[in-house]
Amino acid sequence: MSTPQQIASDAATRTLTLQWPDGREQQIAHAELRRACACAECRRIRLDDSTVHASPDVTLTDVQPMGYGVQLVFSDDHARGIYPWRYLEELAEAASRSAEQKL
Ligand SMILES: [Zn+2]
């Protein structure tokens, strides 16, 4: 499992950027991260086939490295999700695939 060399959150574009050791750069929208929150509560909502409510205006206000991943704090005061690196990588891959399909 690899760990990003750099992780940067941009409030203006509401995007989280991950820089991987192999040179790849991935971007994930803050709202997307909020919808995919990794906490037990949000996971349960998605298991029930529901969507986690996320305002399109939601922003990431803090990023706390946790070793195996990051704890993400959102502007709606939701801060329970710890996102393992592998999970973030998969989220970003899924996001870029759906962006390609829209072209
Ligand atoms: Zn959550």
Side-chain angles (χ1 to χ4, degrees):
M1 192 198 75
S2 58
T3 301
Q5 286 179 314
Q6 209 177 5
I7 177 162
S9 177
D10 183 359
T13 58
R14 298 194 190 110
T15 314
L16 184 75
T17 302
L18 301 163
Q19 300 264 13
W20 297 96
D22 61 7
R24 277 176 309 141
E25 184 179 289
Q26 292 186 309
Q27 293 191 320
I28 318 175
H30 291 174
E32 191 114 22
L33 288 165
R34 178 64 185 83
R35 273 193 297 270
C37 177
C39 82
E41 189 190 331
C42 293
R43 275 206 303 255
R44 198 175 331 116
I45 294 171
R46 288 195 303 273
L47 280 175
D48 288 342
D49 280 333
S50 300
T51 306
V52 174
H53 176 76
S55 159
D57 299 332
V58 76
T59 55
L60 200 52
T61 55
D62 201 12
V63 176
Q64 294 282 346
M66 301 291 287
Y68 68 95
V70 276
Q71 180 180 6
L72 300 182
V73 179
F74 293 95
S75 56
D76 60 359
D77 288 334
H78 196 76
R80 267 179 252 151
I82 296 169
Y83 298 60
W85 299 125
R86 180 73 194 130
Y87 184 61
L88 280 177
E89 190 178 14
E90 284 170 0
L91 274 183
E93 274 170 18
S96 69
R97 269 198 304 273
S98 67
E100 276 164 27
Q101 280 164 13
K102 279 178 204 150
L103 290 176

